[in-house]
Amino acid sequence: MTAATNLPLEGVTVVSLEHAIAAPLATRHLADQGARVIKIERPGVGDFARAYDRRVDGLASHFVWVNRSKESLCLDLKQPEARDILEAILAKADVLVQNLAPGAAARLGLSYEALSPKYPGLIVCDISGYGDGGPYTEKKAYDLLIQSEGGFLSVTGTPEEEVKSGISVADIAAGMYAYSGILAALLERARTGRGRRVEVAMIDTMMEWMSFPLYYAYKGQQPPRRSGAAHATIYPYGPFKAGDGRTVMLGLQNEREWATFCDKVLERPDLKTDPRFVDNAARTAHRTELHDLIVAEFAGSSAEAVIAKLDAADIANAHVNTMADLWEHPQLKARGRWTTVDSPVGPLPALYPPGTGPDRPARMDPIPALGAHTDAILAELGFAGRAADLHAKGVV
């Protein structure tokens, strides 16, 4: 590992029993800020996200995203001899993160209650689907299942069909709340000298993100309707086709912008006083008529021409970009957001984490091969003389 220099979490050691996205994302952000992250993986198999696909020169896209700057230690925690190694690691650790199957960490003796008497400064972060207590505690939980259980699908999609998010929003939410919870616990420990448990349930994080539609449907009122890529309750705020067949994403937030849009973009000042469109409530109620009217006005122009006109009028807008567009996005290039990280297949492009960049350092170390750091960690912990035997027994 490249030594971190002047990063906020330099000197913090994180041990992670992690797989998939939620916990690996949290620990990758900790690593970005300088923490040493030791990722414990099953010998021969590792994090199952390693095998999701082979899209990045043979590596899995999810794994490349959330596992840079970590050390991979292969350790079979079901074997008694592995416990000595794990205890030696925990004695040096500041944080333990796990998102194993419900109850698995406790059965391994890795709950906060079991560990805190021996390691009073240890912070233990448990990430699960439904948290402790209640009828769902032992229920398996994956991203799409939490999107569904948490009501996200009910407000996402078209009037005819629920649609999942194109990215793992439930996993990402859980990972980011775990990250912020661990940072808060580290600050608390700096005052008190004691660690604590950080419990993150995916259902809780999804419900936090669902608070707007929850309140919108307060006391049995109608929830926001599924409206495709358009905003459910503000209009015109969504996609509109231009004459060249490309889509412009338009965003109007208030009556001042609506008036400007009518005057300078549509060049239809009469629409400002049309009873169907006089305020947001009216425009939302008559969105079909307004959508058709706007598309008819845009039909004589290309998407780029429409965007230029919107920019000149200071009306918010965006391209509807593809993944190919993002690789070449001019704003990312102009701000130097891309760098490279090493990997088992050679250098790969990587985005600096938000809040960091060329002039604001982050750790951007390699994506580890399975077990790449096992022997080095064994030697560091004083197990070098037993390494061959441990390998032979499949402990590591």
Side-chain angles (χ1 to χ4, degrees), residues 79 129 262 271 334:
Q79 296 206 39
C262 293
L271 295 178

Side-chain angles (χ1 to χ4, degrees), residues 300-383:
S301 303
S302 68
E304 289 301 325
V306 170
I307 285 174
K309 201 169 186 180
L310 291 166
D311 284 340
D314 197 26
I315 297 296
N317 65 84
H319 298 86
V320 181
N321 283 328
T322 65
M323 295 305 100
D325 295 326
L326 294 185
W327 282 111
E328 302 298 328
H329 200 290
Q331 187 70 1
L332 298 176
K333 288 186 174 182
R335 295 177 59 239
R337 296 305 301 161
W338 287 104
T339 184
T340 60
V341 297
D342 204 357
S343 80
V345 297
L348 294 172
L351 286 164
Y352 285 107
T356 70
D359 58 340
R360 300 179 301 281
R363 171 177 272 165
M364 303 293 289
D365 281 355
I367 299 154
L370 179 61
H373 303 86
T374 296
D375 288 337
I377 294 172
L378 289 177
E380 175 188 341
L381 298 174
F383 290 88

Side-chain angles (χ1 to χ4, degrees), residues 6 106 121 160:
N6 298 321
E160 296 75 29

Side-chain angles (χ1 to χ4, degrees), residues 98 112-113 122-126 131-132 185 195-199:
Q98 69 85 19
Y112 175 74
E113 291 74 18
L122 185 67
I123 294 162
V124 177
C125 179
D126 298 319
D132 289 348
R196 66 174 174 88
R197 185 186 185 212
V198 177
E199 183 192 13

Side-chain angles (χ1 to χ4, degrees), residues 187-253:
L187 289 172
E188 181 180 320
R189 191 184 68 171
R191 291 198 318 269
T192 67
R194 294 195 60 84
R196 66 174 174 88
R197 185 186 185 212
V198 177
E199 183 192 13
V200 176
M202 292 171 68
I203 190 67
D204 294 346
T205 64
M206 193 81 273
M207 294 306 296
E208 171 65 24
W209 284 19
M210 289 296 296
S211 290
F212 149 64
L214 272 173
Y215 284 121
Y216 190 85
Y218 187 57
K219 290 186 176 179
Q221 298 179 86
Q222 286 297 310
R225 70 181 197 173
R226 294 192 301 272
S227 52
H231 198 286
T233 59
I234 305 173
Y235 208 78
Y237 191 163
F240 296 88
K241 289 283 187 185
D244 60 359
R246 296 188 65 191
T247 300
V248 174
M249 190 64 68
L250 174 63
L252 292 175
Q253 292 272 9

